[in-house]
């Protein structure tokens, strides 16, 4: 699957409702957000990178925050739906064949690789989720409702079968996502060779399995 940044570039270039200047602004904003971080990127930086006047940004998008919502959030909601929906539905329909440790290995392990391949984009989300309280609610909407439903049904099944500890689904999901994102972010700080990365992911799955099973 193409990276999120590649998919984004394709989508804005194919969007006939966007003028060339608007396309350049959106492209420049996401690239700068991924390199400098959202908070450290100014509209002046974006204007310079897009080769437009700063006032053009405000004319078309109103604010830097709107740029984030016009770029990352709708794009990620679309790509995450594509990336997760069919796979989760397939597992949920055949869940007897996927005891919890296998679910972690087959699903979570692959998502770690996906997040690592798109580290620049996920780093934006991670940092904004931690430090920008007013954005958390909007970032949570990235997870499509149908995916939330599939995950809740699977976690309910695993709890019923006593394959995971009896915590709320929100807590269980938080432990899973928090552990994955912490690994993805820290692995960028201390890169590993491919062989070591495979072992690290396997060790994380063991960690999650032991921590979340009764």
């Amino acid at each position: 699957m193409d990276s999120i940044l590649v998919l984004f570039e394709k989508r804005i270039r194919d969007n006939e409702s966007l003028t060339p200047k608007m396309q350049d602004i959106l492209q420049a904003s996401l690239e700068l957000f991924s390199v400098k971080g959202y908070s450290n990127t100014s509209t002046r930086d974006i204007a310079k990178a897009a080769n437009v006047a700063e006032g053009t940004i405000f004319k078309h998008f109103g604010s830097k925050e709107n740029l984030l919502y016009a770029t990352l959030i709708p794009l990620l909601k679309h790509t995450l739906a594509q990336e997760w929906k069919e796979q989760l539905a397939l597992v949920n329909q055949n869940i007897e064949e996927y005891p919890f440790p296998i679910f972690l290995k087959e699903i979570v392990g692959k998502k770690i690789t996906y997040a690592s391949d798109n580290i620049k984009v996920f780093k934006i989300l991670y940092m904004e989720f931690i430090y920008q309280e007013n954005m958390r609610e909007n970032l949570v909407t990235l997870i499509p409702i149908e995916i939330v439903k599939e995950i809740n049904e699977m976690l309910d099944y695993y709890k019923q079968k006593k394959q995971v500890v009896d915590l709320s689904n929100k807590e269980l999901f938080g432990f899973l996502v928090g552990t994955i994102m912490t690994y993805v972010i820290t692995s960028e700080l201390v890169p590993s060779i491919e062989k070591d990365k495979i072992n690290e992911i396997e060790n994380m799955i063991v960690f999650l399995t032991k921590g979340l099973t009764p």
Side-chain angles (χ1 to χ4, degrees), residues 107-162:
I107 303 296
V108 177
K110 291 177 181 177
K111 300 316 170 192
I112 292 172
T113 302
Y114 178 71
S116 297
D117 290 343
N118 292 279
I119 181 62
K120 289 183 177 181
V121 173
F122 278 91
K123 186 166 64 174
I124 302 171
L125 293 178
Y126 188 76
M127 300 306 292
E128 297 314 310
F129 191 85
I130 292 175
Y131 296 113
Q132 300 290 333
E133 185 175 354
N134 63 321
M135 288 190 183
R136 288 176 194 165
E137 186 174 339
N138 288 312
L139 294 177
V140 168
T141 65
L142 282 174
I143 306 173
I145 294 175
E146 59 269 29
I147 291 179
V148 174
K149 180 177 179 292
E150 295 282 359
I151 292 173
N152 279 327
E153 288 178 358
M154 295 170 75
L155 292 177
D156 287 341
Y157 172 85
Y158 290 131
K159 285 190 290 186
Q160 182 185 357
K161 295 295 183 179
K162 301 188 183 305

Side-chain angles (χ1 to χ4, degrees), residues 11-184:
R11 288 192 71 188
I12 63 172
R13 297 303 174 189
D14 292 340
N15 190 335
E16 296 181 355
S17 68
L18 298 173
T19 67
K21 283 187 177 181
M22 292 171 70
Q23 292 176 348
D24 291 340
I25 290 168
L26 289 172
Q27 183 69 39
S29 64
L30 189 55
E31 288 176 355
L32 286 171
F33 292 160
S34 68
V35 174
K36 299 179 65 174
Y38 171 79
S39 299
N40 294 325
T41 300
S42 67
T43 51
R44 182 176 296 181
D45 294 331
I46 296 169
K48 183 178 180 181
N51 197 28
V52 299
E54 192 172 4
T56 305
I57 294 175
F58 296 110
K59 175 184 176 182
H60 291 297
F61 298 100
S63 68
K64 185 179 76 168
E65 187 171 322
N66 286 345
L67 278 173
L68 182 66
Y69 296 151
T71 57
L72 210 51
I73 289 181
L75 175 70
L76 273 179
K77 192 165 187 176
H78 175 75
T79 55
L80 286 176
Q82 285 185 324
E83 180 70 17
W84 282 79
K85 186 177 178 181
E86 290 185 4
Q87 193 173 18
L88 283 175
L90 178 63
V91 172
N92 204 8
Q93 291 167 10
N94 303 279
I95 197 164
E96 296 85 0
E97 301 175 13
Y98 291 86
F100 189 63
I102 301 300
F103 164 78
L104 289 177
K105 184 175 182 180
E106 291 296 317
I107 303 296
V108 177
K110 291 177 181 177
K111 300 316 170 192
I112 292 172
T113 302
Y114 178 71
S116 297
D117 290 343
N118 292 279
I119 181 62
K120 289 183 177 181
V121 173
F122 278 91
K123 186 166 64 174
I124 302 171
L125 293 178
Y126 188 76
M127 300 306 292
E128 297 314 310
F129 191 85
I130 292 175
Y131 296 113
Q132 300 290 333
E133 185 175 354
N134 63 321
M135 288 190 183
R136 288 176 194 165
E137 186 174 339
N138 288 312
L139 294 177
V140 168
T141 65
L142 282 174
I143 306 173
I145 294 175
E146 59 269 29
I147 291 179
V148 174
K149 180 177 179 292
E150 295 282 359
I151 292 173
N152 279 327
E153 288 178 358
M154 295 170 75
L155 292 177
D156 287 341
Y157 172 85
Y158 290 131
K159 285 190 290 186
Q160 182 185 357
K161 295 295 183 179
K162 301 188 183 305
Q163 295 182 22
V164 298
V165 292
D166 190 17
L167 298 174
S168 70
N169 290 349
K170 181 180 178 181
E171 290 176 289
L172 291 171
F173 187 72
F175 284 128
L176 289 169
V177 174
T179 303
I180 292 169
M181 288 310 301
T182 300
Y183 168 77
V184 170

